[in-house]
Amino acid sequence: MPDIAARLGVAKSTAYRWVQGVPWEPDAAAARERRRAHSRAMTDAQWAAHRQARDAARAEPVRATSAWVGRLRRRESILVGAALYWAEGTKAKPWRPHDCRVKFVNSDPTLVEVFLRFVEAMGVPRGALSFRVSIHESADASEAVRWWAERVGVPADDFRPVSLKRHRPATVRHDTGDGYRGCLTVEAPRSRRLYWKIEGIMAGMGAGVEAVGR
């Protein structure tokens, strides 16, 4: 009623008399969306100050600890890289105990770079590695390859063909949007001996931890 009265320049009571006998069916979906939008706006307003304070509190320790790390020495890069690979990389299985290939798959560019520095420290040049992007078919695969190529410093033409994942509309995915670049697979050629060395590093680290515990 207020909208009708304002649009026609009449009193609300007059607008009411004009339309009081007209059946009215509200748009339930639109009404629900308005309520959700209002609720989101109220929540954002209520928590805005808290989020700003939280983000500010987070930024300082992140900055301080990042500065504390500094530049990793070769030994540190090797130890960190081996642990990263043992947590995230492909490992031999009990039913395939001799399948010892160094293959690392991840969507985090920082972890990919840590792994690349590790294999370089182990004597494998970056140019000898193979790279492949795995991404959903609904995404821009060519752009993802260009993005990853720039991050790892390898020409996009040197990448292996993209591995496309079938898009399932019924699946709710959060890794979408402009920031979605899929996963990068990095594989070292003829890497059995490198795998054995990683296995040995982890055995040594485990023994070192046990010794400290005693």
Side-chain angles (χ1 to χ4, degrees):
M1 290 306 142
D3 291 342
I4 294 172
R7 181 71 63 85
L8 299 178
V10 298
K12 285 185 287 186
S13 58
T14 300
Y16 175 75
R17 288 197 302 272
W18 287 348
V19 300
Q20 62 180 335
V22 178
W24 177 60
E25 290 293 336
D27 186 336
R32 285 195 298 271
E33 182 55 35
R34 284 196 297 271
R35 288 194 295 270
R36 283 195 291 265
H38 177 71
S39 177
R40 286 194 298 267
M42 294 296 291
T43 300
D44 288 344
Q46 179 180 0
W47 289 97
H50 168 75
R51 289 169 180 159
Q52 291 175 359
R54 178 199 59 198
D55 292 345
R58 177 181 183 176
E60 175 52 28
V62 168
R63 184 204 61 77
T65 51
S66 175
W68 172 80
V69 171
R71 184 176 180 83
L72 297 183
R73 294 187 292 272
R74 180 176 179 273
R75 174 182 169 82
E76 293 171 331
S77 292
I78 289 175
L79 295 179
V80 171
L84 171 62
Y85 183 83
W86 215 241
E88 296 286 326
T90 300
K91 292 181 286 294
K93 301 294 190 294
W95 55 92
R96 288 202 315 268
H98 303 299
D99 186 11
C100 302
R101 293 176 297 163
V102 175
K103 184 178 179 180
F104 184 79
V105 184
N106 214 275
S107 62
D108 188 325
T110 299
L111 296 186
V112 169
E113 182 60 30
V114 170
F115 172 72
L116 292 177
R117 293 183 182 182
F118 160 69
V119 293
E120 287 176 325
M122 295 295 290
V124 181
R126 191 167 302 204
L129 303 171
S130 69
F131 299 87
R132 183 198 295 271
V133 172
S134 299
I135 195 167
H136 284 87
E137 60 185 357
S138 57
D140 188 339
S142 298
E143 172 58 28
V145 171
R146 287 192 293 270
W147 187 85
W148 278 110
E150 183 177 346
R151 291 303 300 251
V152 301
V154 173
D157 292 342
D158 291 349
F159 274 51
R160 298 175 66 187
V162 173
S163 175
L164 292 176
K165 305 175 187 178
R166 179 171 294 180
H167 177 62
R168 300 181 184 276
T171 302
V172 177
R173 292 174 43 230
H174 299 286
D175 54 346
T176 59
D178 294 338
Y180 174 58
R181 314 290 185 182
C183 293
L184 184 67
T185 298
V186 184
E187 189 166 359
R190 300 179 297 278
S191 52
R192 176 177 294 182
R193 189 168 185 82
L194 175 59
Y195 183 94
W196 293 342
K197 289 181 179 180
I198 296 172
E199 196 172 35
I201 292 169
M202 294 310 300
M205 290 177 68
V209 169
E210 292 175 3
V212 171
R214 290 196 294 271

